[in-house]
mmCIF file of all heavy atoms in Angstrom:
data_model
loop_
_atom_site.group_PDB
_atom_site.id
_atom_site.type_symbol
_atom_site.label_atom_id
_atom_site.label_comp_id
_atom_site.label_asym_id
_atom_site.label_seq_id
_atom_site.Cartn_x
_atom_site.Cartn_y
_atom_site.Cartn_z
ATOM 1 N N ASP A 469 -11.539 15.167 12.997
ATOM 2 C CA ASP A 469 -10.925 15.191 14.333
ATOM 3 C C ASP A 469 -9.424 15.385 14.191
ATOM 4 O O ASP A 469 -8.846 15.149 13.143
ATOM 5 C CB ASP A 469 -11.333 14.021 15.186
ATOM 6 C CG ASP A 469 -10.990 12.681 14.504
ATOM 7 O OD1 ASP A 469 -9.858 12.514 14.178
ATOM 8 O OD2 ASP A 469 -11.888 11.846 14.359
ATOM 9 N N ASP A 470 -8.767 15.548 15.353
ATOM 10 C CA ASP A 470 -7.294 15.771 15.335
ATOM 11 C C ASP A 470 -6.659 14.623 16.204
ATOM 12 O O ASP A 470 -5.570 14.855 16.805
ATOM 13 C CB ASP A 470 -6.987 17.157 15.937
ATOM 14 C CG ASP A 470 -7.573 17.423 17.221
ATOM 15 O OD1 ASP A 470 -8.380 16.529 17.780
ATOM 16 O OD2 ASP A 470 -7.297 18.468 17.902
ATOM 17 N N LEU A 471 -7.224 13.470 16.208
ATOM 18 C CA LEU A 471 -6.669 12.386 16.945
ATOM 19 C C LEU A 471 -5.333 11.883 16.223
ATOM 20 O O LEU A 471 -5.212 11.881 15.083
ATOM 21 C CB LEU A 471 -7.674 11.126 17.026
ATOM 22 C CG LEU A 471 -9.020 11.437 17.670
ATOM 23 C CD1 LEU A 471 -9.885 10.162 17.587
ATOM 24 C CD2 LEU A 471 -8.792 11.802 19.069
ATOM 25 N N ASP A 472 -4.419 11.563 17.030
ATOM 26 C CA ASP A 472 -3.062 11.162 16.558
ATOM 27 C C ASP A 472 -2.362 10.269 17.657
ATOM 28 O O ASP A 472 -2.441 10.402 18.839
ATOM 29 C CB ASP A 472 -2.200 12.319 16.229
ATOM 30 C CG ASP A 472 -1.016 11.984 15.345
ATOM 31 O OD1 ASP A 472 -0.171 11.236 15.825
ATOM 32 O OD2 ASP A 472 -0.963 12.444 14.139
ATOM 33 N N PHE A 473 -1.616 9.222 17.106
ATOM 34 C CA PHE A 473 -0.798 8.345 18.068
ATOM 35 C C PHE A 473 0.192 9.080 18.751
ATOM 36 O O PHE A 473 0.714 8.554 19.791
ATOM 37 C CB PHE A 473 -0.372 7.114 17.198
ATOM 38 C CG PHE A 473 -1.214 5.997 17.262
ATOM 39 C CD1 PHE A 473 -2.241 5.735 16.190
ATOM 40 C CD2 PHE A 473 -1.231 5.062 18.325
ATOM 41 C CE1 PHE A 473 -2.969 4.631 16.255
ATOM 42 C CE2 PHE A 473 -2.009 3.949 18.346
ATOM 43 C CZ PHE A 473 -2.898 3.702 17.284
ATOM 44 N N ALA A 474 0.600 10.242 18.259
ATOM 45 C CA ALA A 474 1.612 11.015 18.903
ATOM 46 C C ALA A 474 1.192 11.473 20.283
ATOM 47 O O ALA A 474 2.011 11.774 21.070
ATOM 48 C CB ALA A 474 1.962 12.175 18.030
ATOM 49 N N ASP A 475 -0.130 11.460 20.567
ATOM 50 C CA ASP A 475 -0.661 11.890 21.818
ATOM 51 C C ASP A 475 -0.542 10.824 22.935
ATOM 52 O O ASP A 475 -0.631 11.112 24.111
ATOM 53 C CB ASP A 475 -2.176 12.282 21.674
ATOM 54 C CG ASP A 475 -2.427 13.355 20.600
ATOM 55 O OD1 ASP A 475 -1.579 14.149 20.359
ATOM 56 O OD2 ASP A 475 -3.549 13.257 20.117
ATOM 57 N N VAL A 476 -0.268 9.598 22.453
ATOM 58 C CA VAL A 476 -0.137 8.532 23.442
ATOM 59 C C VAL A 476 1.187 8.384 24.042
ATOM 60 O O VAL A 476 2.177 8.144 23.273
ATOM 61 C CB VAL A 476 -0.635 7.179 22.780
ATOM 62 C CG1 VAL A 476 -0.600 5.958 23.788
ATOM 63 C CG2 VAL A 476 -1.974 7.313 22.110
ATOM 64 N N LYS A 477 1.393 8.563 25.325
ATOM 65 C CA LYS A 477 2.651 8.363 25.942
ATOM 66 C C LYS A 477 2.799 6.813 26.285
ATOM 67 O O LYS A 477 1.933 6.199 26.887
ATOM 68 C CB LYS A 477 2.702 9.135 27.233
ATOM 69 C CG LYS A 477 2.588 10.753 26.984
ATOM 70 C CD LYS A 477 3.747 11.213 26.281
ATOM 71 C CE LYS A 477 3.631 12.843 26.114
ATOM 72 N NZ LYS A 477 3.775 13.556 27.340
ATOM 73 N N GLY A 478 4.037 6.302 26.033
ATOM 74 C CA GLY A 478 4.305 4.977 26.340
ATOM 75 C C GLY A 478 3.512 3.913 25.505
ATOM 76 O O GLY A 478 3.179 4.229 24.381
ATOM 77 N N GLN A 479 3.369 2.798 26.081
ATOM 78 C CA GLN A 479 2.521 1.699 25.408
ATOM 79 C C GLN A 479 3.018 1.329 24.083
ATOM 80 O O GLN A 479 2.214 1.122 23.140
ATOM 81 C CB GLN A 479 1.016 2.128 25.352
ATOM 82 C CG GLN A 479 0.423 2.557 26.601
ATOM 83 C CD GLN A 479 0.174 1.404 27.566
ATOM 84 O OE1 GLN A 479 0.857 0.430 27.394
ATOM 85 N NE2 GLN A 479 -0.652 1.620 28.608
ATOM 86 N N GLU A 480 4.284 1.284 23.899
ATOM 87 C CA GLU A 480 4.952 1.020 22.585
ATOM 88 C C GLU A 480 4.535 -0.407 22.168
ATOM 89 O O GLU A 480 4.387 -0.525 20.965
ATOM 90 C CB GLU A 480 6.491 1.070 22.706
ATOM 91 C CG GLU A 480 7.009 2.414 23.065
ATOM 92 C CD GLU A 480 6.449 3.511 22.080
ATOM 93 O OE1 GLU A 480 6.390 3.173 20.921
ATOM 94 O OE2 GLU A 480 6.191 4.669 22.571
ATOM 95 N N SER A 481 4.390 -1.449 22.963
ATOM 96 C CA SER A 481 4.036 -2.780 22.669
ATOM 97 C C SER A 481 2.616 -2.780 22.158
ATOM 98 O O SER A 481 2.322 -3.488 21.154
ATOM 99 C CB SER A 481 4.277 -3.750 23.743
ATOM 100 O OG SER A 481 3.366 -3.428 24.871
ATOM 101 N N VAL A 482 1.730 -1.942 22.693
ATOM 102 C CA VAL A 482 0.338 -1.925 22.297
ATOM 103 C C VAL A 482 0.292 -1.295 20.949
ATOM 104 O O VAL A 482 -0.488 -1.712 20.102
ATOM 105 C CB VAL A 482 -0.512 -1.297 23.303
ATOM 106 C CG1 VAL A 482 -1.909 -1.313 22.941
ATOM 107 C CG2 VAL A 482 -0.283 -1.846 24.727
ATOM 108 N N LYS A 483 1.059 -0.212 20.737
ATOM 109 C CA LYS A 483 1.012 0.504 19.459
ATOM 110 C C LYS A 483 1.540 -0.487 18.342
ATOM 111 O O LYS A 483 0.972 -0.414 17.214
ATOM 112 C CB LYS A 483 1.976 1.721 19.523
ATOM 113 C CG LYS A 483 1.432 2.856 20.337
ATOM 114 C CD LYS A 483 2.434 3.979 20.428
ATOM 115 C CE LYS A 483 2.133 4.975 21.426
ATOM 116 N NZ LYS A 483 3.092 6.089 21.491
ATOM 117 N N ARG A 484 2.558 -1.244 18.695
ATOM 118 C CA ARG A 484 2.985 -2.313 17.681
ATOM 119 C C ARG A 484 1.832 -3.238 17.360
ATOM 120 O O ARG A 484 1.696 -3.646 16.124
ATOM 121 C CB ARG A 484 4.300 -2.880 18.291
ATOM 122 C CG ARG A 484 4.668 -4.264 17.537
ATOM 123 C CD ARG A 484 5.151 -3.939 16.192
ATOM 124 N NE ARG A 484 5.683 -5.160 15.482
ATOM 125 C CZ ARG A 484 6.095 -5.155 14.224
ATOM 126 N NH1 ARG A 484 5.903 -4.118 13.404
ATOM 127 N NH2 ARG A 484 6.434 -6.420 13.699
ATOM 128 N N ALA A 485 1.119 -3.740 18.354
ATOM 129 C CA ALA A 485 0.095 -4.642 18.020
ATOM 130 C C ALA A 485 -0.964 -4.034 17.204
ATOM 131 O O ALA A 485 -1.431 -4.672 16.250
ATOM 132 C CB ALA A 485 -0.452 -5.170 19.432
ATOM 133 N N LEU A 486 -1.288 -2.722 17.428
ATOM 134 C CA LEU A 486 -2.313 -2.029 16.648
ATOM 135 C C LEU A 486 -1.876 -1.824 15.257
ATOM 136 O O LEU A 486 -2.676 -1.922 14.308
ATOM 137 C CB LEU A 486 -2.858 -0.814 17.405
ATOM 138 C CG LEU A 486 -3.484 -0.937 18.633
ATOM 139 C CD1 LEU A 486 -3.905 0.397 19.228
ATOM 140 C CD2 LEU A 486 -4.849 -1.733 18.520
ATOM 141 N N GLU A 487 -0.541 -1.617 15.034
ATOM 142 C CA GLU A 487 -0.058 -1.423 13.795
ATOM 143 C C GLU A 487 -0.123 -2.796 13.018
ATOM 144 O O GLU A 487 -0.544 -2.745 11.795
ATOM 145 C CB GLU A 487 1.404 -1.057 13.892
ATOM 146 C CG GLU A 487 2.112 -0.958 12.450
ATOM 147 C CD GLU A 487 3.587 -0.531 12.587
ATOM 148 O OE1 GLU A 487 3.998 -0.017 13.662
ATOM 149 O OE2 GLU A 487 4.308 -0.674 11.545
ATOM 150 N N ILE A 488 0.129 -3.889 13.579
ATOM 151 C CA ILE A 488 -0.060 -5.162 12.959
ATOM 152 C C ILE A 488 -1.457 -5.342 12.568
ATOM 153 O O ILE A 488 -1.778 -5.831 11.428
ATOM 154 C CB ILE A 488 0.418 -6.339 13.865
ATOM 155 C CG1 ILE A 488 1.932 -6.256 14.021
ATOM 156 C CG2 ILE A 488 0.091 -7.729 13.279
ATOM 157 C CD1 ILE A 488 2.574 -7.131 15.131
ATOM 158 N N ALA A 489 -2.357 -5.018 13.511
ATOM 159 C CA ALA A 489 -3.800 -5.224 13.331
ATOM 160 C C ALA A 489 -4.279 -4.468 12.103
ATOM 161 O O ALA A 489 -4.962 -4.929 11.273
ATOM 162 C CB ALA A 489 -4.607 -4.914 14.480
ATOM 163 N N ALA A 490 -3.808 -3.241 12.046
ATOM 164 C CA ALA A 490 -4.205 -2.333 10.909
ATOM 165 C C ALA A 490 -3.586 -2.842 9.541
ATOM 166 O O ALA A 490 -4.284 -2.703 8.521
ATOM 167 C CB ALA A 490 -3.806 -0.915 11.155
ATOM 168 N N ALA A 491 -2.394 -3.299 9.575
ATOM 169 C CA ALA A 491 -1.818 -3.772 8.456
ATOM 170 C C ALA A 491 -2.504 -5.033 7.877
ATOM 171 O O ALA A 491 -2.482 -5.208 6.517
ATOM 172 C CB ALA A 491 -0.345 -4.077 8.614
ATOM 173 N N GLY A 492 -3.095 -5.904 8.655
ATOM 174 C CA GLY A 492 -3.650 -7.074 8.133
ATOM 175 C C GLY A 492 -5.160 -7.190 8.353
ATOM 176 O O GLY A 492 -5.788 -8.151 7.884
ATOM 177 N N GLY A 493 -5.735 -6.115 8.916
ATOM 178 C CA GLY A 493 -7.263 -6.180 9.001
ATOM 179 C C GLY A 493 -7.703 -7.083 10.284
ATOM 180 O O GLY A 493 -8.724 -7.720 10.207
ATOM 181 N N HIS A 494 -6.756 -7.288 11.248
ATOM 182 C CA HIS A 494 -7.086 -8.326 12.271
ATOM 183 C C HIS A 494 -7.843 -7.709 13.408
ATOM 184 O O HIS A 494 -7.849 -6.545 13.750
ATOM 185 C CB HIS A 494 -5.647 -8.750 12.850
ATOM 186 C CG HIS A 494 -4.811 -9.372 11.814
ATOM 187 N ND1 HIS A 494 -5.082 -10.591 11.205
ATOM 188 C CD2 HIS A 494 -3.674 -8.959 11.254
ATOM 189 C CE1 HIS A 494 -4.089 -10.916 10.365
ATOM 190 N NE2 HIS A 494 -3.369 -9.839 10.370
ATOM 191 N N ASN A 495 -8.650 -8.549 14.173
ATOM 192 C CA ASN A 495 -9.383 -8.176 15.329
ATOM 193 C C ASN A 495 -8.495 -8.169 16.442
ATOM 194 O O ASN A 495 -7.541 -8.930 16.585
ATOM 195 C CB ASN A 495 -10.512 -9.239 15.523
ATOM 196 C CG ASN A 495 -11.384 -9.274 14.325
ATOM 197 O OD1 ASN A 495 -11.814 -8.313 13.681
ATOM 198 N ND2 ASN A 495 -11.970 -10.506 14.032
ATOM 199 N N VAL A 496 -8.886 -7.253 17.463
ATOM 200 C CA VAL A 496 -7.912 -7.005 18.662
ATOM 201 C C VAL A 496 -8.695 -7.053 19.988
ATOM 202 O O VAL A 496 -9.850 -6.473 19.927
ATOM 203 C CB VAL A 496 -7.069 -5.690 18.498
ATOM 204 C CG1 VAL A 496 -6.051 -5.616 19.576
ATOM 205 C CG2 VAL A 496 -6.501 -5.495 17.134
ATOM 206 N N LEU A 497 -8.111 -7.650 20.979
ATOM 207 C CA LEU A 497 -8.655 -7.574 22.308
ATOM 208 C C LEU A 497 -7.696 -6.892 23.138
ATOM 209 O O LEU A 497 -6.450 -7.413 23.351
ATOM 210 C CB LEU A 497 -8.971 -8.924 22.926
ATOM 211 C CG LEU A 497 -9.507 -9.003 24.249
ATOM 212 C CD1 LEU A 497 -10.774 -8.184 24.567
ATOM 213 C CD2 LEU A 497 -9.743 -10.482 24.700
ATOM 214 N N LEU A 498 -7.958 -5.747 23.738
ATOM 215 C CA LEU A 498 -7.058 -5.033 24.713
ATOM 216 C C LEU A 498 -7.478 -5.344 26.205
ATOM 217 O O LEU A 498 -8.715 -5.073 26.539
ATOM 218 C CB LEU A 498 -7.251 -3.579 24.486
ATOM 219 C CG LEU A 498 -6.825 -3.100 22.996
ATOM 220 C CD1 LEU A 498 -7.085 -1.511 22.898
ATOM 221 C CD2 LEU A 498 -5.437 -3.438 22.702
ATOM 222 N N ILE A 499 -6.560 -5.900 26.928
ATOM 223 C CA ILE A 499 -6.795 -6.281 28.293
ATOM 224 C C ILE A 499 -5.986 -5.511 29.214
ATOM 225 O O ILE A 499 -4.746 -5.631 29.111
ATOM 226 C CB ILE A 499 -6.650 -7.828 28.511
ATOM 227 C CG1 ILE A 499 -7.427 -8.651 27.544
ATOM 228 C CG2 ILE A 499 -7.114 -8.187 29.876
ATOM 229 C CD1 ILE A 499 -7.169 -10.094 27.559
ATOM 230 N N GLY A 500 -6.563 -4.769 30.141
ATOM 231 C CA GLY A 500 -5.676 -3.970 31.132
ATOM 232 C C GLY A 500 -6.414 -3.238 32.122
ATOM 233 O O GLY A 500 -7.788 -3.064 31.881
ATOM 234 N N PRO A 501 -5.961 -2.836 33.205
ATOM 235 C CA PRO A 501 -6.762 -2.123 34.260
ATOM 236 C C PRO A 501 -7.301 -0.725 33.778
ATOM 237 O O PRO A 501 -6.804 -0.255 32.729
ATOM 238 C CB PRO A 501 -5.777 -2.008 35.346
ATOM 239 C CG PRO A 501 -4.410 -2.065 34.754
ATOM 240 C CD PRO A 501 -4.537 -3.038 33.612
ATOM 241 N N PRO A 502 -8.220 -0.177 34.485
ATOM 242 C CA PRO A 502 -8.734 1.118 34.076
ATOM 243 C C PRO A 502 -7.648 2.187 33.976
ATOM 244 O O PRO A 502 -6.689 2.144 34.866
ATOM 245 C CB PRO A 502 -9.784 1.481 35.168
ATOM 246 C CG PRO A 502 -10.114 0.206 35.726
ATOM 247 C CD PRO A 502 -8.853 -0.712 35.643
ATOM 248 N N GLY A 503 -7.679 3.127 33.049
ATOM 249 C CA GLY A 503 -6.895 4.296 33.079
ATOM 250 C C GLY A 503 -5.601 4.010 32.317
ATOM 251 O O GLY A 503 -4.665 4.894 32.363
ATOM 252 N N THR A 504 -5.388 2.878 31.623
ATOM 253 C CA THR A 504 -4.216 2.574 30.941
ATOM 254 C C THR A 504 -4.224 3.072 29.480
ATOM 255 O O THR A 504 -3.115 2.923 28.787
ATOM 256 C CB THR A 504 -3.818 1.169 31.060
ATOM 257 O OG1 THR A 504 -5.001 0.390 30.480
ATOM 258 C CG2 THR A 504 -3.633 0.623 32.369
ATOM 259 N N GLY A 505 -5.319 3.571 29.026
ATOM 260 C CA GLY A 505 -5.337 4.143 27.621
ATOM 261 C C GLY A 505 -5.897 3.274 26.706
ATOM 262 O O GLY A 505 -5.673 3.424 25.455
ATOM 263 N N LYS A 506 -6.801 2.191 26.953
ATOM 264 C CA LYS A 506 -7.252 1.310 26.064
ATOM 265 C C LYS A 506 -8.224 2.086 25.035
ATOM 266 O O LYS A 506 -8.118 1.882 23.875
ATOM 267 C CB LYS A 506 -8.092 0.197 26.797
ATOM 268 C CG LYS A 506 -7.212 -0.684 27.733
ATOM 269 C CD LYS A 506 -7.938 -1.892 28.305
ATOM 270 C CE LYS A 506 -9.080 -1.480 29.173
ATOM 271 N NZ LYS A 506 -8.700 -0.798 30.444
ATOM 272 N N SER A 507 -9.163 2.880 25.622
ATOM 273 C CA SER A 507 -10.054 3.592 24.749
ATOM 274 C C SER A 507 -9.344 4.554 23.860
ATOM 275 O O SER A 507 -9.647 4.789 22.772
ATOM 276 C CB SER A 507 -11.130 4.288 25.600
ATOM 277 O OG SER A 507 -11.910 3.299 26.275
ATOM 278 N N MET A 508 -8.358 5.306 24.484
ATOM 279 C CA MET A 508 -7.500 6.236 23.820
ATOM 280 C C MET A 508 -6.876 5.635 22.569
ATOM 281 O O MET A 508 -6.881 6.262 21.521
ATOM 282 C CB MET A 508 -6.568 6.921 24.731
ATOM 283 C CG MET A 508 -5.677 7.958 24.162
ATOM 284 S SD MET A 508 -4.513 8.663 25.382
ATOM 285 C CE MET A 508 -3.853 10.039 24.517
ATOM 286 N N LEU A 509 -6.301 4.515 22.785
ATOM 287 C CA LEU A 509 -5.624 3.769 21.706
ATOM 288 C C LEU A 509 -6.613 3.361 20.547
ATOM 289 O O LEU A 509 -6.279 3.465 19.325
ATOM 290 C CB LEU A 509 -4.818 2.620 22.124
ATOM 291 C CG LEU A 509 -3.534 3.011 23.010
ATOM 292 C CD1 LEU A 509 -3.248 1.742 23.947
ATOM 293 C CD2 LEU A 509 -2.400 3.257 22.161
#
Side-chain angles (χ1 to χ4, degrees):
D469 53 54
D470 56 354
L471 299 177
D472 197 291
F473 266 95
D475 304 329
V476 182
K477 300 290 185 70
Q479 305 294 16
E480 299 304 323
S481 62
V482 185
K483 293 178 188 176
R484 167 64 177 174
L486 291 179
E487 179 181 341
I488 294 170
H494 302 288
N495 303 320
V496 189
L497 174 62
L498 303 176
I499 308 175
T504 54
K506 299 187 294 295
S507 299
M508 184 180 186
L509 287 158

